Amino acid sequence: MGFSGHLVFARSRRPLLEAPVFGGIGQELKDTVDAWLPRPGGWQTLRFDHGIWADGYLSALVVWTGAPACVAEVSDSDIAFVTGLGTDGQRWQAWLNLDKAAALFAEEPEDLDDVSLWVGTPEFDEAVRRKRAELEAHVPAGAEGALAWAASAGITGTGEQPRIETLLRSRETFAEDLFSALLDELGFPRATRVSSGT
């Protein structure tokens, strides 16, 4: 079983979990939230288990931090749907692991009784191909929006649209890895371990 939940990326001098928007989350649930290694400049990633994150949190987080933020809704580590929001209210969205998303969301025949008998058939393959083409059509806009969002966060001059589009079309075993790779490709400073010294 992979991870299902939300990856939240935002900038703050304080721990993101201290944001007022999370005040209604009980301590028991807060204890399940995993903080990834921070990135320089105050950029933080939190991993929320399924059911903890609510739709309105992203805009509230942007208001509290005064900086752009994004959230990736991950399903079983197979796919992720990323939504970014800038301080100007501009939003962008993109899928990660398009092939798996296409297979998952391919339109099923109305008279289908048993999905297992449909998967792997020529009709299934054609439905996946159509859904993949539909998702593919949104890749350039997603890449452009992601770059504009990163620029609004002060990240400029490093990300290139063709490379972002290639990443959005790529596949990985874990969608979480694609999310980290997307942030890297957009030019956000990479997470580094702090050595304790001797």
Side-chain angles (χ1 to χ4, degrees), residues 10-33:
R11 179 176 61 196
S12 174
R13 294 191 201 101
R14 294 163 55 186
L16 279 183
L17 207 50
E18 293 180 5
V21 69
F22 303 133
I25 298 176
Q27 190 59 48
E28 188 174 323
L29 288 177
K30 281 187 178 180
D31 289 343
T32 68
V33 177

Side-chain angles (χ1 to χ4, degrees), residues 45-92:
T45 303
L46 297 180
R47 190 178 86 161
F48 289 79
D49 287 338
H50 182 70
I52 299 179
W53 180 261
D55 288 340
Y57 286 0
L58 184 59
S59 57
L61 196 59
V62 168
V63 170
W64 182 72
T65 62
C70 73
V71 58
E73 183 177 357
V74 182
S75 177
D76 202 22
S77 289
D78 286 335
I79 61 172
F81 186 60
V82 185
T83 300
L85 183 65
T87 54
D88 58 358
Q90 290 297 310
R91 185 178 295 262
W92 64 275

Side-chain angles (χ1 to χ4, degrees), residues 77-80 95-102 135 167-175 178:
S77 289
D78 286 335
I79 61 172
W95 284 100
L96 301 179
N97 266 349
L98 288 189
D99 291 340
K100 290 183 179 180
L135 296 175
L167 187 142
L168 293 179
R169 292 183 180 104
S170 67
R171 61 184 88 168
E172 283 289 341
T173 302
F174 299 105
L178 275 177

Side-chain angles (χ1 to χ4, degrees), residues 3-197:
F3 166 71
S4 290
H6 292 80
L7 302 173
V8 180
F9 180 70
R11 179 176 61 196
S12 174
R13 294 191 201 101
R14 294 163 55 186
L16 279 183
L17 207 50
E18 293 180 5
V21 69
F22 303 133
I25 298 176
Q27 190 59 48
E28 188 174 323
L29 288 177
K30 281 187 178 180
D31 289 343
T32 68
V33 177
D34 180 41
W36 286 8
L37 285 174
R39 293 170 180 254
W43 293 101
Q44 302 172 48
T45 303
L46 297 180
R47 190 178 86 161
F48 289 79
D49 287 338
H50 182 70
I52 299 179
W53 180 261
D55 288 340
Y57 286 0
L58 184 59
S59 57
L61 196 59
V62 168
V63 170
W64 182 72
T65 62
C70 73
V71 58
E73 183 177 357
V74 182
S75 177
D76 202 22
S77 289
D78 286 335
I79 61 172
F81 186 60
V82 185
T83 300
L85 183 65
T87 54
D88 58 358
Q90 290 297 310
R91 185 178 295 262
W92 64 275
Q93 296 180 313
W95 284 100
L96 301 179
N97 266 349
L98 288 189
D99 291 340
K100 290 183 179 180
L104 185 63
F105 296 117
E107 188 174 347
E108 299 175 357
E110 290 182 12
D111 59 350
L112 185 65
D113 292 326
D114 187 345
V115 174
S116 66
L117 298 178
W118 181 57
V119 173
T121 65
E123 293 80 9
F124 170 79
D125 293 341
E126 176 58 22
V128 171
R129 187 198 63 73
R130 284 195 306 269
K131 178 54 75 172
R132 178 69 164 75
E134 181 185 318
L135 296 175
E136 168 79 25
H138 296 285
V139 166
E144 184 179 358
L147 283 165
W149 170 82
S152 74
I155 308 298
T156 57
T158 52
E160 299 174 6
Q161 182 151 343
R163 291 175 62 95
I164 302 300
E165 289 185 24
T166 297
L167 187 142
L168 293 179
R169 292 183 180 104
S170 67
R171 61 184 88 168
E172 283 289 341
T173 302
F174 299 105
E176 301 95 300
D177 293 341
L178 275 177
F179 181 68
S180 289
L182 175 61
L183 297 174
D184 292 344
E185 198 63 61
L186 286 170
F188 286 93
R190 294 177 184 249
T192 54
R193 291 192 182 277
V194 179
S195 61
S196 57

